[in-house]
Amino acid sequence: MAEGQIHYRASFRLYPLGPDPNLLDPLRNLALQWVKSQVDLPPMMEQLGFFAGASWGSLEKTLVRTLHHRWPESQHELWALRLVHPCNRHPGRCWCTDLVVQTLPGCLKVSIKQTHQRTRGYLGPPLPHLAPKVPELVKMLLADPRWDPRDGGLSLRPALKTLQPGGAAALRDLLLHPERFCPVLVSVPDPYGKYLLDSALLGQALDGAIHLFTTEPGTFHILKAELGWVLSREMQPVWAGIRIFQPGINPPGARGWKQESLRHRFYLQKNLRMPPQDTLQVFAQCVASRLDLPGEVSDLDQAGALVQKVQMESLSSRVKQWAEGNQELREWMALIEAENARLSEANAQLQGRVGDLESQVSQLEATLGQAQYQTQQASQSAAGLRTQVLQSSTKLKVLNNLHQLPRTLPEVLQTLARLFNGKVIFTPQAQASAEESDFDNIPAAWEALWALCTHLPKLLFQEGLAMRPALLRLSEETGLDASANEGEMTRDDRKLMALRRVEWDGKTYSIEPHLKLDRGKRYLRVHFAADFEKQVLILGHAGNHLDTVGTRRGRGR
């Protein structure tokens, strides 16, 4: 499959903590548990193929592929797993997780790489931002009590370590360790104890992939003096920043030592003026995109290439022994080896070309998907504009036929019903309540109802606000007195709440939300509901004050 964006990458060793030195079988069983938590495996794949090497599924949906090889002469084993599956949170993204395990004397070497990419054929909006996160498989490996995860001779438990005075030499030894594959992050606070990024966030995103060290503001000046003896000035940690030491550091005095600092970057607050999550993304990408080290096998494709190379070398050695003494056969073998080398080089170039083409196809598909999505959005926008033009035309016709302003509250509702047809529903109950109302300040009623019909649908259906915050905004923008609920005593009274329900289009709506308009001793109450599915505002009452516990007892409003 085409190379996706690297989300997480780690390589470490597992050393047994119990009496049983065999860790490969327990690790494969743990990997099987993880795969079963992600996809449904057929019984045959689960029982046999998963451990011996097999493939199930397809790239279009879900793919589980394993590889197993044993070197008879050395008892060295290699087992690799690839799981490709759709993202359960977004249909436009698919995940690819590679696990490669190699047996070494007294331990296992484990490499994990997780990538994600756009699903082929996906047509929709751009994929949402993906926050850095440790894969569940890694969490399971790090938490298992049967082994100790180590890298560069240092345990990855706990994830966070404090660098104390006297630890400069140990830090140098870790940096120069030939078997260190995890980057080392050294986080130094400012003199007031403030760190560039919370260490807990770094641990959540990069646990298992890094060695994380912090220092204390009161002791860093001592540590810095010690580091001056073991690291060049260009390579030292800095105040109020984070330094990332990538694997594969050249020893002091070696050629190119001074240029090493270009690969092992440091970050300061002035370089990262961004929110913590964006800063975390910078560090996660820096760690995940590190270069391959010699001998590192980080995915199933590399594992397959390694097995094929070893098999070819073994077969070539046997054939050479068999052909010893036969000059013509040796010449023929030399020609075959030369041709094989040429084909291998051509195959590598073709694979690189295929990878480039697949990346281009993915980019073109992404561009096409975005273009089609934008076309769809433009069509919807055009349809919305046509609807607005039609509504505006309807309003214009109503206004052209409006020879005089409404003189009564029922006329106000009738006029607004024609102006906002399809966006605001004026129910028969609302019209009947207006007929019975004694509210006679018609300009005030027109102003309040006009503001309700123009402002509230925009806040609810375009900005996506819930009713309560929408009414708060309505009050702030128009000065109207609006409330989302009745008082507790009224809400506890079934008969009173029955007055605050209305039927429309076969559905019952609660019309607790209301506007309050008081002019002297005359009151206007406008009760309404919102249908977010149909995106309409429903007016169920526009008249006198509905009964409450207070008004029923004769206590005014």
Side-chain angles (χ1 to χ4, degrees), residues 180-206:
R180 179 175 69 88
F181 289 88
C182 293
V184 175
L185 274 68
V186 180
S187 179
V188 182
D190 63 18
Y192 305 100
K194 183 179 180 181
Y195 290 87
L196 178 60
L197 192 63
D198 186 1
S199 300
L201 290 177
L202 283 169
Q204 292 171 9
L206 298 170

mmCIF file of all heavy atoms in Angstrom, residues 180-206:
data_model
loop_
_atom_site.group_PDB
_atom_site.id
_atom_site.type_symbol
_atom_site.label_atom_id
_atom_site.label_comp_id
_atom_site.label_asym_id
_atom_site.label_seq_id
_atom_site.Cartn_x
_atom_site.Cartn_y
_atom_site.Cartn_z
ATOM 1 N N ARG A 180 20.663 2.239 20.823
ATOM 2 C CA ARG A 180 19.571 3.182 21.136
ATOM 3 C C ARG A 180 18.830 3.526 19.849
ATOM 4 O O ARG A 180 19.403 4.058 18.905
ATOM 5 C CB ARG A 180 20.119 4.460 21.778
ATOM 6 C CG ARG A 180 19.004 5.481 22.083
ATOM 7 C CD ARG A 180 19.533 6.677 22.831
ATOM 8 N NE ARG A 180 20.396 7.519 22.018
ATOM 9 C CZ ARG A 180 19.963 8.519 21.253
ATOM 10 N NH1 ARG A 180 18.660 8.776 21.155
ATOM 11 N NH2 ARG A 180 20.821 9.254 20.575
ATOM 12 N N PHE A 181 17.542 3.243 19.826
ATOM 13 C CA PHE A 181 16.701 3.561 18.675
ATOM 14 C C PHE A 181 15.660 4.643 19.004
ATOM 15 O O PHE A 181 15.032 5.184 18.104
ATOM 16 C CB PHE A 181 15.974 2.307 18.181
ATOM 17 C CG PHE A 181 16.884 1.318 17.520
ATOM 18 C CD1 PHE A 181 17.546 0.356 18.265
ATOM 19 C CD2 PHE A 181 17.096 1.354 16.159
ATOM 20 C CE1 PHE A 181 18.396 -0.559 17.655
ATOM 21 C CE2 PHE A 181 17.947 0.452 15.542
ATOM 22 C CZ PHE A 181 18.598 -0.518 16.292
ATOM 23 N N CYS A 182 15.448 4.938 20.281
ATOM 24 C CA CYS A 182 14.468 5.951 20.691
ATOM 25 C C CYS A 182 15.150 7.308 20.854
ATOM 26 O O CYS A 182 16.222 7.392 21.465
ATOM 27 C CB CYS A 182 13.807 5.574 22.024
ATOM 28 S SG CYS A 182 12.767 4.113 21.950
ATOM 29 N N PRO A 183 14.549 8.379 20.326
ATOM 30 C CA PRO A 183 15.083 9.721 20.580
ATOM 31 C C PRO A 183 15.050 10.038 22.082
ATOM 32 O O PRO A 183 14.220 9.511 22.823
ATOM 33 C CB PRO A 183 14.144 10.637 19.798
ATOM 34 C CG PRO A 183 13.523 9.761 18.748
ATOM 35 C CD PRO A 183 13.412 8.407 19.384
ATOM 36 N N VAL A 184 15.953 10.908 22.506
ATOM 37 C CA VAL A 184 16.010 11.371 23.890
ATOM 38 C C VAL A 184 15.549 12.819 23.932
ATOM 39 O O VAL A 184 16.089 13.669 23.217
ATOM 40 C CB VAL A 184 17.435 11.248 24.463
ATOM 41 C CG1 VAL A 184 17.505 11.853 25.868
ATOM 42 C CG2 VAL A 184 17.878 9.792 24.489
ATOM 43 N N LEU A 185 14.526 13.115 24.748
ATOM 44 C CA LEU A 185 14.028 14.470 24.915
ATOM 45 C C LEU A 185 14.419 14.963 26.298
ATOM 46 O O LEU A 185 14.119 14.304 27.299
ATOM 47 C CB LEU A 185 12.499 14.536 24.754
ATOM 48 C CG LEU A 185 11.954 14.702 23.323
ATOM 49 C CD1 LEU A 185 12.216 13.441 22.505
ATOM 50 C CD2 LEU A 185 10.467 15.013 23.341
ATOM 51 N N VAL A 186 15.069 16.105 26.355
ATOM 52 C CA VAL A 186 15.448 16.724 27.623
ATOM 53 C C VAL A 186 14.694 18.046 27.733
ATOM 54 O O VAL A 186 14.907 18.954 26.930
ATOM 55 C CB VAL A 186 16.966 16.955 27.713
ATOM 56 C CG1 VAL A 186 17.320 17.592 29.054
ATOM 57 C CG2 VAL A 186 17.717 15.640 27.537
ATOM 58 N N SER A 187 13.801 18.119 28.710
ATOM 59 C CA SER A 187 12.953 19.304 28.904
ATOM 60 C C SER A 187 13.464 20.099 30.098
ATOM 61 O O SER A 187 13.547 19.573 31.209
ATOM 62 C CB SER A 187 11.500 18.873 29.125
ATOM 63 O OG SER A 187 10.664 19.991 29.337
ATOM 64 N N VAL A 188 13.820 21.355 29.851
ATOM 65 C CA VAL A 188 14.387 22.223 30.884
ATOM 66 C C VAL A 188 13.426 23.381 31.126
ATOM 67 O O VAL A 188 13.008 24.046 30.168
ATOM 68 C CB VAL A 188 15.773 22.756 30.461
ATOM 69 C CG1 VAL A 188 16.366 23.622 31.571
ATOM 70 C CG2 VAL A 188 16.708 21.609 30.111
ATOM 71 N N PRO A 189 13.055 23.661 32.393
ATOM 72 C CA PRO A 189 12.147 24.779 32.657
ATOM 73 C C PRO A 189 12.880 26.112 32.634
ATOM 74 O O PRO A 189 14.121 26.175 32.587
ATOM 75 C CB PRO A 189 11.623 24.456 34.059
ATOM 76 C CG PRO A 189 12.773 23.765 34.720
ATOM 77 C CD PRO A 189 13.442 22.962 33.628
ATOM 78 N N ASP A 190 12.094 27.186 32.687
ATOM 79 C CA ASP A 190 12.713 28.494 32.875
ATOM 80 C C ASP A 190 13.033 28.669 34.357
ATOM 81 O O ASP A 190 12.714 27.797 35.181
ATOM 82 C CB ASP A 190 11.794 29.602 32.356
ATOM 83 C CG ASP A 190 10.467 29.690 33.101
ATOM 84 O OD1 ASP A 190 10.364 29.141 34.221
ATOM 85 O OD2 ASP A 190 9.534 30.301 32.568
ATOM 86 N N PRO A 191 13.699 29.751 34.762
ATOM 87 C CA PRO A 191 14.066 29.920 36.176
ATOM 88 C C PRO A 191 12.890 29.922 37.141
ATOM 89 O O PRO A 191 13.079 29.745 38.344
ATOM 90 C CB PRO A 191 14.794 31.274 36.177
ATOM 91 C CG PRO A 191 15.329 31.409 34.785
ATOM 92 C CD PRO A 191 14.294 30.784 33.904
ATOM 93 N N TYR A 192 11.671 30.101 36.615
ATOM 94 C CA TYR A 192 10.486 30.121 37.481
ATOM 95 C C TYR A 192 9.781 28.771 37.536
ATOM 96 O O TYR A 192 8.711 28.647 38.125
ATOM 97 C CB TYR A 192 9.505 31.197 37.000
ATOM 98 C CG TYR A 192 10.131 32.566 36.906
ATOM 99 C CD1 TYR A 192 10.562 33.069 35.682
ATOM 100 C CD2 TYR A 192 10.319 33.340 38.052
ATOM 101 C CE1 TYR A 192 11.152 34.324 35.593
ATOM 102 C CE2 TYR A 192 10.911 34.598 37.972
ATOM 103 C CZ TYR A 192 11.332 35.080 36.741
ATOM 104 O OH TYR A 192 11.912 36.311 36.658
ATOM 105 N N GLY A 193 10.345 27.759 36.881
ATOM 106 C CA GLY A 193 9.785 26.418 36.936
ATOM 107 C C GLY A 193 8.755 26.110 35.880
ATOM 108 O O GLY A 193 8.098 25.066 35.949
ATOM 109 N N LYS A 194 8.601 26.972 34.882
ATOM 110 C CA LYS A 194 7.615 26.738 33.831
ATOM 111 C C LYS A 194 8.266 26.020 32.658
ATOM 112 O O LYS A 194 9.304 26.449 32.144
ATOM 113 C CB LYS A 194 7.016 28.070 33.360
ATOM 114 C CG LYS A 194 5.929 27.903 32.316
ATOM 115 C CD LYS A 194 5.353 29.247 31.897
ATOM 116 C CE LYS A 194 4.258 29.072 30.846
ATOM 117 N NZ LYS A 194 3.710 30.382 30.408
ATOM 118 N N TYR A 195 7.628 24.920 32.215
ATOM 119 C CA TYR A 195 8.152 24.124 31.114
ATOM 120 C C TYR A 195 7.516 24.548 29.790
ATOM 121 O O TYR A 195 6.387 25.069 29.761
ATOM 122 C CB TYR A 195 7.895 22.633 31.343
ATOM 123 C CG TYR A 195 8.721 22.044 32.469
ATOM 124 C CD1 TYR A 195 8.272 22.088 33.783
ATOM 125 C CD2 TYR A 195 9.947 21.455 32.213
ATOM 126 C CE1 TYR A 195 9.027 21.557 34.821
ATOM 127 C CE2 TYR A 195 10.725 20.919 33.239
ATOM 128 C CZ TYR A 195 10.253 20.972 34.543
ATOM 129 O OH TYR A 195 11.005 20.449 35.559
ATOM 130 N N LEU A 196 8.228 24.296 28.703
ATOM 131 C CA LEU A 196 7.705 24.631 27.380
ATOM 132 C C LEU A 196 6.442 23.838 27.071
ATOM 133 O O LEU A 196 5.509 24.345 26.452
ATOM 134 C CB LEU A 196 8.779 24.348 26.317
ATOM 135 C CG LEU A 196 8.401 24.586 24.854
ATOM 136 C CD1 LEU A 196 8.002 26.036 24.632
ATOM 137 C CD2 LEU A 196 9.559 24.209 23.941
ATOM 138 N N LEU A 197 6.398 22.587 27.516
ATOM 139 C CA LEU A 197 5.242 21.730 27.287
ATOM 140 C C LEU A 197 5.090 20.776 28.454
ATOM 141 O O LEU A 197 6.095 20.274 28.989
ATOM 142 C CB LEU A 197 5.409 20.927 25.982
ATOM 143 C CG LEU A 197 4.174 20.190 25.456
ATOM 144 C CD1 LEU A 197 3.068 21.181 25.092
ATOM 145 C CD2 LEU A 197 4.530 19.360 24.224
ATOM 146 N N ASP A 198 3.857 20.547 28.864
ATOM 147 C CA ASP A 198 3.587 19.655 29.982
ATOM 148 C C ASP A 198 4.116 18.250 29.672
ATOM 149 O O ASP A 198 3.808 17.662 28.636
ATOM 150 C CB ASP A 198 2.075 19.618 30.234
ATOM 151 C CG ASP A 198 1.720 18.815 31.475
ATOM 152 O OD1 ASP A 198 2.639 18.312 32.132
ATOM 153 O OD2 ASP A 198 0.525 18.700 31.780
ATOM 154 N N SER A 199 4.912 17.723 30.588
ATOM 155 C CA SER A 199 5.501 16.390 30.379
ATOM 156 C C SER A 199 4.439 15.309 30.286
ATOM 157 O O SER A 199 4.625 14.298 29.599
ATOM 158 C CB SER A 199 6.477 16.073 31.516
ATOM 159 O OG SER A 199 7.522 17.013 31.566
ATOM 160 N N ALA A 200 3.311 15.500 30.956
ATOM 161 C CA ALA A 200 2.228 14.505 30.887
ATOM 162 C C ALA A 200 1.690 14.404 29.462
ATOM 163 O O ALA A 200 1.362 13.313 28.980
ATOM 164 C CB ALA A 200 1.117 14.875 31.859
ATOM 165 N N LEU A 201 1.588 15.543 28.748
ATOM 166 C CA LEU A 201 1.125 15.514 27.359
ATOM 167 C C LEU A 201 2.121 14.760 26.472
ATOM 168 O O LEU A 201 1.724 13.983 25.607
ATOM 169 C CB LEU A 201 0.941 16.941 26.837
ATOM 170 C CG LEU A 201 -0.223 17.750 27.412
ATOM 171 C CD1 LEU A 201 -0.218 19.162 26.857
ATOM 172 C CD2 LEU A 201 -1.551 17.069 27.081
ATOM 173 N N LEU A 202 3.413 15.006 26.704
ATOM 174 C CA LEU A 202 4.429 14.284 25.931
ATOM 175 C C LEU A 202 4.341 12.783 26.173
ATOM 176 O O LEU A 202 4.468 11.977 25.242
ATOM 177 C CB LEU A 202 5.817 14.794 26.306
ATOM 178 C CG LEU A 202 6.248 16.138 25.713
ATOM 179 C CD1 LEU A 202 7.516 16.628 26.379
ATOM 180 C CD2 LEU A 202 6.443 16.026 24.210
ATOM 181 N N GLY A 203 4.119 12.398 27.426
ATOM 182 C CA GLY A 203 4.008 10.976 27.742
ATOM 183 C C GLY A 203 2.805 10.334 27.090
ATOM 184 O O GLY A 203 2.886 9.213 26.575
ATOM 185 N N GLN A 204 1.670 11.033 27.071
ATOM 186 C CA GLN A 204 0.458 10.483 26.457
ATOM 187 C C GLN A 204 0.625 10.274 24.959
ATOM 188 O O GLN A 204 0.049 9.361 24.382
ATOM 189 C CB GLN A 204 -0.724 11.431 26.711
ATOM 190 C CG GLN A 204 -1.153 11.518 28.159
ATOM 191 C CD GLN A 204 -2.170 12.616 28.389
ATOM 192 O OE1 GLN A 204 -2.692 13.209 27.447
ATOM 193 N NE2 GLN A 204 -2.456 12.905 29.641
ATOM 194 N N ALA A 205 1.421 11.126 24.314
ATOM 195 C CA ALA A 205 1.562 11.049 22.863
ATOM 196 C C ALA A 205 2.727 10.183 22.416
ATOM 197 O O ALA A 205 2.686 9.606 21.321
ATOM 198 C CB ALA A 205 1.732 12.456 22.285
ATOM 199 N N LEU A 206 3.779 10.072 23.255
ATOM 200 C CA LEU A 206 5.019 9.459 22.777
ATOM 201 C C LEU A 206 5.566 8.380 23.705
ATOM 202 O O LEU A 206 6.726 7.983 23.570
ATOM 203 C CB LEU A 206 6.088 10.551 22.592
ATOM 204 C CG LEU A 206 5.749 11.630 21.556
ATOM 205 C CD1 LEU A 206 6.751 12.767 21.627
ATOM 206 C CD2 LEU A 206 5.710 11.042 20.162
#
